Amino acid sequence: MTEQNRVAIVTGAARGIGAATAIRLAADGFAVAVIDLEESAGKDTVEKITAAGGKAVAVGADVSNGEQVAAAVERVVAELGVPTVLVNNAGVLRDNLLFRMSESDWDTVMNVHLKGAFLMSKACQKHMVDERYGRIVNLSSSSALGNRGQANYSAAKAGLQGFTKTLAKELGQFGITANAVAPGFIATDMTAATAERVGMGFEEFKTAAAAMIPVNRVGVPEDIAHTISFLVSEGAGFVSGQVIYVAGGPLD
């Protein structure tokens, strides 16, 4: 891998874990494509990266749309270079108990998380194969183990673990690794939305969560970004097909 090909794509990078990851990878020396549904949403992340001396571009794309994904990756190649790192972080919540969950709630979550990761990985892997080098990290979740009110999200996040292991087996021969990071409780806009759904204030929600976590605190987006930073590094070339729970302790 040549220096000019240190290009990373992070989806859902306008805020939260995605933004923290994009900023961390830029600090690691990557040129970063900040992909989100609306290009304007990624501007803040790009500005933070460039203000720190890094290189980044905001790209708007619906990751569940094949044509938009293809166009986005082509733009990244044209503006930054060949992407050899992909972080599939884009996600949405449509929480509800099963009997209240609509078909649209199910489809939307599956399309963004699972189909989005499939389309992005397929579009990027051809470049990685040509380079004989690549790193793919998929964002799973501790909810993959099951979580009340999240039948769609839990299924999608569990699906990403199987997808990751399959990519590792198929792409390893080309110098490409694939791993999944499964966050526990991370303080983001999405967990704030969950707090609202269950009728709790966010601070109260975080305090209650921290009491059940061995390290006695909730996670922050940077905790996940640090782990991803390792997994996409050249030194992590013998780590593939793994699901790493970053949750402040073991999950029973």
Side-chain angles (χ1 to χ4, degrees), residues 40-58:
S40 58
K43 295 294 187 183
D44 183 59
T45 304
V46 169
E47 287 174 3
K48 288 177 179 175
I49 290 172
T50 54
K55 185 176 183 180
V57 62

Side-chain angles (χ1 to χ4, degrees), residues 238-250:
F238 205 55
V239 181
S240 194
Q242 302 305 301
V243 179
I244 301 176
Y245 283 87
V246 184

Side-chain angles (χ1 to χ4, degrees), residues 185-201:
F185 190 109
I186 308 297
T188 65
D189 291 344
M190 289 179 78
T191 45
T194 300
E196 185 176 355
R197 175 174 63 85
V198 299
M200 291 179 70

Side-chain angles (χ1 to χ4, degrees), residues 1 5 7-9 73 77 82-88 120-137 167 171-178 232:
M1 184 182 67
N5 287 339
V7 175
I9 292 176
V73 173
V77 172
V82 174
T84 50
V85 166
L86 170 64
V87 180
N88 285 310
M120 287 299 307
S121 298
K122 188 174 181 182
C124 291
Q125 62 86 30
K126 58 186 178 183
H127 297 293
M128 297 179 185
V129 168
D130 288 343
E131 293 292 312
R132 309 293 295 188
Y133 181 95
R135 300 282 186 264
I136 298 172
V137 178
L167 291 186
L171 301 176
Q173 62 183 308
F174 303 109
I176 302 167
T177 66
V232 305

